[in-house]
Amino acid sequence: GGDADMKGHVNLKGEDYNLTASTRHLPLNAFVPGLATTPLTATIEAKGHRFNPLEKGSTLHAKANIRSLRYDVYPLDNTRLVADVQSGQANVKFNMQNRMMQGDGLVQADLNDFGKPGSEMACFADACIDEFNPRAIGLMEDTLTVGATFRATLRASSDFKRISSQGSLADICF
């Protein structure tokens, strides 16, 4: 079982699209055999220009509200994502309110020229995790929860042979 309602418009020649989808108990592993997920209940919107986000002039605005989904041991229910890509700059905001994690954050990436030989991608993440529950994903039996502010910067060559990162944890609470 499960179903999906989809509406939208795609212009293949002009590479413009405007799509909305609403799913109820959609079994993703029916489309990708072996995928360790529970059925998806979500609403998704995507609007943009150009299909390749690395291409100059591409734009994307997407929203996802995941009401019910689990990937392997990770509960992803009650997760909201908003993604914007414009002029090679990608921004993804997230908010999670489930039994594994409560918190929000932002990931920013400079995609300009990424994929071209010798190019590099820079990515920055900033998250405020009010509560992380390791017990919810089987990491421990204790009821300990952890909160923290996390910041990280990642740089990678287009072939991923050169990767560097640095980060910090602050405001750690138990």
Side-chain angles (χ1 to χ4, degrees), residues 3-151:
D3 59 79
D5 295 321
M6 294 183 237
K7 297 177 184 159
H9 173 77
V10 177
N11 177 341
L12 295 176
K13 188 172 183 175
E15 294 191 33
D16 294 306
Y17 54 93
N18 187 352
L19 309 164
T20 60
S22 178
T23 66
R24 284 173 298 284
H25 309 291
L26 186 68
L28 298 177
N29 54 9
F31 304 99
V32 183
L35 188 64
T37 63
T38 59
L40 173 66
T41 298
T43 55
I44 301 165
E45 301 174 17
K47 180 178 184 177
H49 177 66
R50 300 262 157 88
F51 300 133
N52 180 352
L54 299 178
E55 193 173 309
K56 289 203 183 287
S58 69
T59 61
L60 166 68
H61 178 71
K63 292 181 185 179
N65 182 2
I66 302 168
R67 289 190 290 282
S68 179
L69 179 67
R70 183 179 186 91
Y71 178 77
D72 197 17
V73 299
Y74 306 104
L76 301 174
D77 48 293
N78 297 317
T79 298
R80 288 168 188 73
L81 301 166
V82 176
D84 286 293
V85 177
Q86 186 165 0
S87 301
Q89 300 296 313
N91 295 293
V92 179
K93 295 178 185 177
F94 69 89
N95 178 279
M96 291 181 79
Q97 300 294 322
N98 59 44
R99 63 187 188 92
M100 177 182 69
M101 187 176 346
Q102 296 178 18
D104 57 8
L106 171 68
V107 177
Q108 298 174 309
D110 181 354
L111 304 174
N112 284 306
D113 299 324
F114 190 69
K116 295 179 182 173
S119 66
E120 181 179 89
M121 174 187 65
C123 181
F124 173 75
D126 188 3
C128 179
I129 307 305
D130 299 319
E131 186 175 295
F132 172 72
N133 180 358
R135 185 178 187 181
I137 57 173
L139 289 178
M140 63 175 28
E141 292 185 22
D142 197 354
T143 57
L144 172 75
T145 59
V146 180
T149 301
F150 169 79
R151 291 186 173 190

